[in-house]
Amino acid sequence: MTCPDKPGQLINWFICSLCVPRVCKLWSSRRPRTRRNLLLGTACAIYLGFLVSQVGRASLQHGQTADRGPPGSRNTAKVPFPEIPLDGTLGPPESQGNGITLQSNVVYITLRSKRSKPANIRGTVKPKRRKKHAVVSVATGQVAVVRPSLMLQEAARAADAAVPGYAQGHLTWVGERRWRLVHNPGVRAGDSDLQEVQESNIRIYSGRAPSWLSKDDILRMRQLADGAVVSVQPAFSKSGAHLLVLEGSTADSAPGCGPNPCGLLKQPLDTSEVFAFHLDRILGLNRTLPSVSRKSEFIQDGRPRPVVLWDSSLALASNDSHSSVKLTWGIYQQLLKQKCWQNGRVPRPEWGCLEIHHHEWSKMALFDFLLQIYNRLDTNCCGFRPRKEDACVHNRLRPNCDDQNSVTLAHIIQRTHDPRHLVFIDNKGFFDRSEDNLNFKLLEGIREFPESAVSVLKSQHLRQKLLQSLFLDKVYWESQGGRQGIEKLIDVVEQRAKILITYINAHGVKVLPMNE
């Protein structure tokens, strides 16, 4: 018998040398079997069976190793199945020392406690980005007058020049998705990549826009955001706004615009006008003009600026109050008590009523309170603590609050063909005003509010609708920091909506349908 060369084999050999003689002696002995010998023999028999099974398994593994051959001869070796990570991370495949890479068909599960995308926002899949065409910049403070030959026309001429025999390209409207440069029939199949697509800044990736935006709203928004600029004219405004004459045709004719649509390009600090437009449509008021955010091709800073539709149907406004009617705070409070034109009642001459319907004041007060717009009903900042940068402080108007009845209201605008209804202009809101400094003077004398707007504020769907609506304006969405920045603005408006509901309940203000 050879001596074992491993410690494990030595132990097994020693136990076998003790057990085998005793087992043989137990069964060959004629003496009666005692309990001690019986137990010892049974234990030895069990251990012998265990040794036999180990010897069989070792011989089987030795045979498989011999069949595989030398290392590296085959790459189909079985590897252990990796564990499934639950944190959503997937690292690169692990490489073993023999060159074999661990791979497996594993479904990785991502567990997230919070949604990373806006809820119920259409078009969360972003389209493929296109190359941007370079635009010559101008010096700081200068405005370049751009002719109709802008980026899209230049791209058309470049594509036509690249392919001899092609006809002049033209712009067509493709559904409600984007402006597309389309050539005349005859394009070969292999040249389809020559057609360039200009992505619209008004992104609608689904079949339809939100229900609170009309087809005319979408059309105007696309014109303001994507329309080629024919010329730029200075606007008669102290804020330094400019009038953009856009390419296209419209039924309205404005001075300086001709048959083309026009937009009023305002300052970057006036971007709240875009938020105000979407809030107005969601509340069902429909009193603001379409507004979008646009990066100007004419001013070098490249900061997004609001562009508001220029409506030629607005009545002429005076130079001092920028209103189509002359109205003071005292007369305004008297008109609220008379309830002019409510329920179809014709007012008496001695009431001093204007052509404006009584419900228009309720809509304006609700809208101005949510955005804290003070430049209409409280031009002197009498109802809150203004800051140094507010216009009323800069113009030293606050001392006039001692005689509030003589304070003139501003930006009260009607349409020439529709004097019953107001148009809300210059809707510069303030989101940084604290809750203990809200201007409740805007609600003074108001005893009714529109049912459609209040129902939206109570429905808990204001946030969802604002996200869906503001997502359409790509430039505004990105300029506010994406969803995170938009959520902060909505937080402010939602909190003011709760305060307004509390005010309505505490003061017994009626909520009425106002469809006039």
Side-chain angles (χ1 to χ4, degrees):
M1 180 180 295
T2 61
C3 182
D5 56 349
K6 293 183 180 180
Q9 295 179 359
L10 181 61
I11 295 174
N12 293 337
W13 176 79
F14 177 77
I15 296 177
C16 291
S17 63
L18 294 178
C19 292
V20 171
R22 289 182 176 273
V23 172
C24 295
K25 184 177 180 180
L26 176 64
W27 295 105
S28 62
S29 177
R30 295 181 180 179
R31 291 179 296 177
R33 302 176 182 176
T34 62
R35 180 177 299 179
R36 177 173 173 270
N37 292 336
L38 182 61
L39 293 177
L40 183 59
T42 303
C44 290
I46 294 174
Y47 187 75
L48 288 175
F50 174 75
L51 289 179
V52 172
S53 63
Q54 278 191 338
V55 172
R57 181 179 301 176
S59 61
L60 179 60
Q61 291 180 354
H62 179 72
Q64 292 179 353
T65 304
D67 294 338
R68 279 198 299 264
S73 61
R74 295 188 181 183
N75 57 359
T76 58
K78 296 182 179 180
V79 295
F81 197 79
E83 295 182 357
I84 300 178
L86 294 180
D87 57 352
T89 58
L90 175 59
E94 298 179 359
S95 179
Q96 302 296 325
N98 55 3
I100 300 175
T101 302
L102 294 179
Q103 295 181 349
S104 59
N105 297 326
V106 182
V107 178
Y108 288 89
I109 303 174
T110 302
L111 298 181
R112 294 177 181 175
S113 59
K114 187 177 180 180
R115 296 179 59 91
S116 61
K117 294 182 179 180
N120 297 326
I121 288 187
R122 301 184 178 95
T124 55
V125 180
K126 304 180 78 172
K128 184 178 180 181
R129 293 184 177 273
R130 305 289 177 176
K131 294 183 180 180
K132 296 182 179 180
H133 300 274
V135 180
V136 180
S137 60
V138 297
T140 305
Q142 295 181 356
V143 179
V145 179
V146 183
R147 297 302 175 186
S149 56
L150 285 179
M151 294 182 293
L152 290 178
Q153 287 78 3
E154 292 175 359
R157 286 195 295 269
D160 295 338
V163 183
Y166 273 25
Q168 179 69 22
H170 61 277
L171 289 174
T172 48
W173 184 260
V174 181
E176 288 188 354
R177 296 184 179 272
R178 63 196 66 177
W179 294 97
R180 183 182 296 272
L181 182 64
V182 182
H183 292 278
N184 289 335
V187 179
R188 297 185 298 271
D191 298 327
S192 60
D193 57 341
L194 295 176
Q195 297 186 4
E196 299 206 11
V197 176
Q198 175 73 16
E199 289 183 17
S200 173
N201 287 323
I202 305 302
R203 46 188 180 185
I204 302 177
Y205 304 135
S206 61
R208 58 182 180 180
S211 58
W212 49 85
L213 293 173
S214 64
K215 292 183 179 180
D216 186 68
D217 288 336
I218 298 298
L219 177 61
R220 298 301 187 184
M221 291 170 64
R222 289 193 184 277
Q223 287 178 339
L224 296 174
D226 307 323
V229 179
V230 177
S231 64
V232 181
Q233 302 178 9
F236 298 97
S237 174
K238 298 180 181 180
S239 61
H242 293 85
L243 190 65
L244 302 183
V245 181
L246 304 174
E247 190 177 50
S249 60
T250 178
D252 300 331
S253 179
C257 299
N260 298 334
C262 284
L264 191 63
L265 181 67
K266 293 195 164 187
Q267 298 298 322
L269 295 177
D270 299 328
T271 53
S272 57
E273 293 244 14
V274 179
F275 191 100
F277 163 68
H278 290 272
L279 178 64
D280 167 74
R281 293 301 191 266
I282 291 173
L283 296 178
L285 303 178
N286 300 321
R287 293 295 180 266
T288 64
L289 300 174
S291 305
V292 301
S293 189
R294 178 169 179 159
K295 291 184 178 179
S296 175
E297 303 93 348
F298 333 103
I299 302 177
Q300 193 175 12
D301 59 4
R303 298 171 61 187
R305 296 166 179 257
V307 182
V308 184
L309 180 68
W310 182 272
D311 193 343
S312 60
S313 67
L314 300 183
L316 296 178
S318 61
N319 295 329
D320 54 349
S321 63
H322 303 284
S323 300
S324 57
V325 293
K326 187 175 182 180
L327 191 62
T328 62
W329 176 262
I331 297 176
Y332 166 67
Q333 291 297 318
Q334 291 295 327
L335 294 179
L336 293 179
K337 296 178 180 178
Q338 298 297 342
K339 298 183 179 182
C340 303
W341 306 102
Q342 188 174 10
N343 299 325
R345 182 181 55 178
V346 179
R348 297 179 182 179
E350 59 269 20
W351 292 353
C353 288
L354 303 175
E355 294 179 303
I356 302 173
H357 196 282
H358 173 69
H359 289 167
E360 296 299 297
W361 307 117
S362 300
K363 296 177 181 180
M364 176 180 288
L366 180 142
F367 184 71
D368 286 1
F369 181 82
L370 292 177
L371 295 175
Q372 287 296 294
I373 301 173
Y374 67 87
N375 61 0
R376 270 192 285 263
L377 299 176
D378 191 13
T379 56
N380 294 349
C381 305
C382 301
F384 67 102
R385 300 185 302 274
R387 301 172 301 178
K388 295 181 179 179
E389 54 268 25
D390 288 326
C392 57
V393 177
H394 183 72
N395 298 328
R396 299 180 179 179
L397 299 176
R398 189 168 171 78
N400 298 334
C401 294
D402 296 337
D403 186 12
Q404 295 188 23
N405 289 333
S406 61
V407 175
T408 303
L409 305 187
H411 305 297
I412 308 299
I413 297 292
Q414 310 155 285
R415 284 189 169 91
T416 305
H417 64 278
D418 186 16
R420 288 283 187 274
H421 301 99
L422 294 174
V423 179
F424 302 162
I425 64 170
D426 289 340
N427 304 308
K428 184 177 180 180
F430 295 88
F431 296 93
D432 56 350
R433 193 162 299 160
S434 60
E435 298 178 10
D436 60 346
N437 193 28
L438 296 181
N439 192 353
F440 283 91
K441 184 177 177 62
L442 304 175
L443 306 179
E444 188 173 335
I446 302 296
R447 295 293 177 262
E448 304 93 4
F449 280 120
E451 183 181 26
S452 61
V454 176
S455 62
V456 174
L457 300 180
K458 291 182 177 180
S459 65
Q460 306 297 325
H461 295 309
L462 179 62
R463 176 180 297 272
Q464 173 185 338
K465 292 183 177 181
L466 281 172
L467 286 173
Q468 291 181 13
S469 196
L470 294 171
F471 181 78
L472 302 181
D473 195 326
K474 179 181 178 181
V475 177
Y476 179 80
W477 182 273
E478 294 177 352
S479 68
Q480 301 302 314
R483 176 168 182 173
Q484 185 177 2
I486 297 295
E487 292 268 15
K488 294 181 180 179
L489 301 180
I490 299 177
D491 289 340
V492 175
V493 176
E494 275 193 335
Q495 186 61 29
R496 292 175 183 174
K498 294 179 181 178
I499 296 175
L500 180 61
I501 298 301
T502 303
Y503 177 90
I504 292 174
N505 297 332
H507 291 78
V509 180
K510 298 180 180 180
V511 179
L512 304 175
M514 298 182 181
N515 301 322
E516 293 85 358

